[in-house]
Amino acid sequence: MLKFENVTKMYKKGVKAVNDISLSVKEGEFIVFIGPSGCGKTTTMKMINRLIEPTEGKISINGENILDKDPVKLRREIGYVIQQIGLFPHMTIEENISLVPRLLKWSEADRKNRAAELLKLVHMDPSYLKRYPHELSGGQQQRIGVLRALAAEPPLILMDEPFGALDPITRDGLQEEFKKLQKSLGKTIVFVTHDMDEAIKLADRIVILKDGAIVQVGTPDEILREPANEFVEEFIGKDRLVQAKPNVQTVEQIMNANPITITADRPIKEAIQIMKHHRVDTLLVVDDSRVLKGYIDVEIIDHTFKKSTYVGDIIKSDIFKVKRDTLVRDTIHSILKRGIKNVPIINEKD
Ligand code: ADP
Ligand code: MG
């Protein structure tokens, strides 16, 4: 739906704010651009919106170069949400939400219906429609900013750190609400953040930027499992947790899988490195260098899942988390201690 082909932006000669980006975004996809401050996130968004033009390369929407489109029309096809949401203070919430529908000459009845419908989507009382922005909390104002971008049903929505200025609790709430909303509306969204937790929570795919260039593109899971390099690892955060997922297999199956052997006194993070290096997902664990004690499947996930609604799923699927420094031996012991069934323990006689 949205395609970047070798897009570069230089504000000053020789300094590339965006450096040779190529990427295809599918319809209905939630793409998150992430990277440290100054890596070119906002510049990328402004180029999609045609607020600025690429120095080199091409951006197209549904196969049409955006530079061939009428800029005013283009901006109406795109919802744009930024951190400083900028609701108009002298307009009611209803009028703020109805800005684009009014430009598009919707009837008054249609505008009113749409504003009321949108407010319902975010569980706000219809009485807010008659209020002014200063009568709303920061979180509510930001919700209205998002609704304003959705009002005329643009197929593409750009969001540049939209929740960045909110307190963590409000932000968490809005993120969850927004993810649900996006799923139900099926819009294509390009979302910018510098917060990895937010990216993992929201993204179908994450695009990691450094100095204007793409370092890695992948699902949150892919990026957490296989960070492309040290920069990405650093960005994910060294204190991420590791989850161990017991899996039922027979001894025969394990042996057929060509497992790598590891001694139980190694930390789990080494086990992961070894598994990654050898591209295996099964480890045989050897205790006191002779007894086979069991094996583990190990995946890195984001620690923020811990307190979210995912907790239920995690417990249900017999997944739990251990710190990266936990020894392999202790990991297996804690699997057993929690009474999780189906952990294959290989007895000596096996
Ligand atoms: P981000 O949104 O990731 O923080 P930006 O896209 O705003 O990064 O900026 C990328 C780089 O381009 C930075 O080095 C920034 O200083 C530079 N830059 C941004 N806007 C301009 C501008 N209007 N003129 C010159 N340089 C700019
Ligand atoms: Mg920015």
Side-chain angles (χ1 to χ4, degrees), residues 41-42 160-161 192:
K41 305 182 294 294
T42 296
D160 193 348
E161 311 214 23
V192 160

Side-chain angles (χ1 to χ4, degrees), residues 127-138:
S127 63
Y128 280 103
L129 288 171
K130 297 294 164 216
R131 293 206 197 180
Y132 287 87
H134 74 269
E135 297 171 307
L136 269 58
S137 71

